[in-house]
Amino acid sequence: YYLSGESRTMCENSPLLEGFVAKGYEVLFLTDGVDELALQYLPDYDGKKLKSVAKADANLGSADEKKEAEAKLKESSEKLKGLTGSLADALKSQVKQVRLSNRLTESPACLAAEEHDMSPQMERLMRMSQGESAPRQRRILELNPKHQIVQRLQARYEASADDPQIGEYAELLYGYAALAEGLDLPDAARFNKLLASLMARDA
């Protein structure tokens, strides 16, 4: 497994890494801009396929562990189906999908990618060479169903599915996940305003 990023520190602190660290998997950090370009010509090494943690199946471990994790995730996904649908509606211009994940142990959210999506690092390289004409990809927002933020959002949704603050929290979760991966926020001023509003309410 590998993870690309602008620096070792960014890779080490990526939410995408949490599940792999918890299971004791080794992950190769790619911090040079040309590393991912090189991987296009080196898809495997010593008989092992190189796989991005952002695109990898997050159900790690033995066959029994995977089966148990999948069953729990299915149960949680059914329970939180309304909330994830509401968050997806609020973020439809930024993400492809909102779903629950087993890959997170400490963070509330992360941005995952599909098999043929570019990584954030590759997207940055494209923008450097092509400017703003470079395509911006929508990713998958994955949520940690065990995290207190997600559980409180579910309670808020159950109390009132039309609560407008759910949409605001959706934007904050997306911003959190984007910043963790070194991505630009779609509207930094709005993110700051929402964050300040949340801090004022809970202070």
Side-chain angles (χ1 to χ4, degrees):
Y1 294 105
Y2 69 87
L3 177 62
S4 60
E6 290 185 310
S7 67
R8 180 185 179 91
T9 300
M10 181 173 283
C11 289
E12 287 177 334
N13 293 318
S14 172
L16 293 167
L17 204 60
E18 293 175 359
F20 292 83
V21 171
K23 292 290 185 181
Y25 282 73
E26 292 186 352
V27 177
L28 179 66
F29 294 161
L30 305 181
T31 57
D32 194 299
V34 299
D35 286 341
E36 283 198 88
L37 293 174
L39 282 186
Q40 310 222 356
Y41 304 96
L42 184 71
D44 55 70
Y45 177 75
D46 198 23
K48 297 183 183 294
K49 186 178 179 182
L50 296 171
K51 183 89 172 172
S52 168
V53 299
K55 303 175 184 179
D57 181 359
N59 290 321
L60 305 169
S62 67
D64 287 341
E65 288 174 328
K66 288 181 181 180
K67 189 174 180 180
E68 182 181 354
E70 286 170 2
K72 287 182 179 178
L73 189 64
K74 185 176 180 181
E75 181 181 343
S76 296
S77 296
E78 187 61 32
K79 181 181 177 183
L80 276 69
K81 182 169 62 176
L83 174 64
T84 54
S86 180
L87 297 175
D89 286 342
L91 297 171
K92 59 187 174 186
S93 64
Q94 279 118 1
V95 302
K96 295 178 180 179
Q97 180 186 0
V98 177
R99 68 187 183 196
L100 303 185
S101 173
N102 289 323
R103 82 171 70 235
L104 298 164
T105 59
E106 299 175 8
S107 300
C110 70
L111 289 173
E114 292 183 312
E115 184 64 33
H116 301 293
D117 286 348
M118 288 187 293
S119 70
Q121 183 80 332
M122 186 66 76
E123 195 171 329
R124 277 190 291 271
L125 288 173
M126 294 283 285
R127 280 206 301 275
M128 286 171 62
S129 63
Q130 299 179 17
E132 288 303 313
S133 63
R136 290 181 178 269
Q137 295 193 108
R138 292 187 303 151
R139 289 182 168 75
I140 299 165
L141 181 65
E142 292 191 344
L143 304 177
N144 178 358
K146 297 178 182 178
H147 199 280
Q148 189 177 36
I149 289 175
V150 177
Q151 291 175 352
R152 287 188 174 183
L153 271 177
Q154 174 63 12
R156 183 180 286 271
Y157 179 84
E158 289 173 354
S160 175
D162 297 325
D163 187 336
Q165 288 187 8
I166 292 175
E168 295 179 356
Y169 279 106
E171 292 183 65
L172 287 169
L173 280 171
Y174 175 80
Y176 170 93
L179 288 173
E181 297 308 316
L183 296 171
D184 294 331
L185 294 174
D187 188 341
R190 166 125 179 113
F191 179 83
N192 285 342
K193 183 178 179 181
L194 290 173
L195 184 59
S197 175
L198 173 65
M199 292 174 71
R201 285 199 301 266
D202 293 345

